């Protein structure tokens, strides 16, 4: 039997189920996105280029995972929420170009979506850090 106290972590009070769900969503998004990238690049003769695209597409998923483990407890909640959003958004954007006819050049989407994802991750981390510092100063000054 699990009690409510055992399902909450001392690192910000977030339930383990939220952390686990966000992690599962990020892993599923990473696997799906890389799979769609490899599928879209199946006709490309340059395996190196396809591998570089796959690494670029994987990078936002790795960064949100690393950031959620290394950031302050206050920033973890927004990062856990951003993981599923990143997954759904990326997979939705990658589905269309992956299933297009092979001659239509889907590279643009596979370049821009990770860039936008990186920007959103940076905005969440910076905003949460600034808000956390502001709250910390208010608590210290009171």
């Amino acid at each position: 039997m699990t009690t409510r106290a055992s399902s909450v972590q001392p690192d910000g009070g977030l339930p383990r189920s939220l952390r686990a769900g966000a992690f599962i969503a990020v892993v599923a998004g990473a696997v799906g996105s890389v799979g769609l990238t490899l599928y879209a690049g199946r006709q490309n003769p340059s395996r190196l280029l396809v591998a570089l695209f796959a690494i670029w597409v994987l990078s936002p998923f790795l960064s949100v995972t690393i950031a959620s483990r290394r950031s302050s407890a206050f920033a973890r909640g927004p990062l856990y929420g951003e993981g599923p959003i990143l997954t759904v958004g990326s997979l939705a954007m990658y589905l269309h170009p992956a299933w297009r006819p092979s001659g239509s050049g889907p590279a643009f989407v596979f370049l821009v979506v990770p860039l936008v994802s990186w920007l959103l991750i940076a905005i969440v981390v910076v905003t949460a850090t600034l808000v956390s510092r502001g709250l910390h100063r208010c608590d210290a000054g009171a």
Side-chain angles (χ1 to χ4, degrees):
M1 184 167 158
T2 305
T3 64
R4 178 168 158 66
S6 67
S7 68
V8 176
Q9 287 292 317
D11 63 352
L14 296 171
R16 289 182 184 163
S17 60
L18 176 64
R19 289 180 27 213
F23 182 73
I24 290 169
V26 168
V27 169
V31 169
S33 295
V34 169
L36 289 170
T37 302
L38 296 175
Y39 184 79
R42 69 192 180 282
Q43 300 292 334
N44 192 318
S46 174
R47 296 293 176 210
L48 178 62
L49 183 62
V50 174
L52 290 173
F53 267 99
I55 292 168
W56 175 239
V57 165
L58 182 64
S59 67
F61 295 100
L62 291 175
S63 70
V64 79
T65 303
I66 292 168
S68 66
R69 295 188 189 279
R70 294 187 178 203
S71 62
S72 68
F74 187 80
R76 287 184 188 132
L79 285 168
Y80 292 151
E82 188 171 20
I85 293 169
L86 177 67
T87 295
V88 171
S90 295
L91 291 176
M93 294 299 291
Y94 296 147
L95 272 173
H96 179 65
W99 298 110
R100 289 168 122 178
S102 61
S104 54
F108 178 77
V109 172
F110 292 97
L111 286 173
V112 172
V113 171
L115 179 63
V116 171
S117 299
W118 271 100
L119 291 173
L120 291 175
I121 293 166
I123 289 168
V124 167
V125 169
V126 169
T127 303
T129 302
L130 292 175
V131 169
S132 174
R133 287 182 183 169
L135 291 175
H136 181 67
R137 285 188 191 135
C138 289
D139 290 342

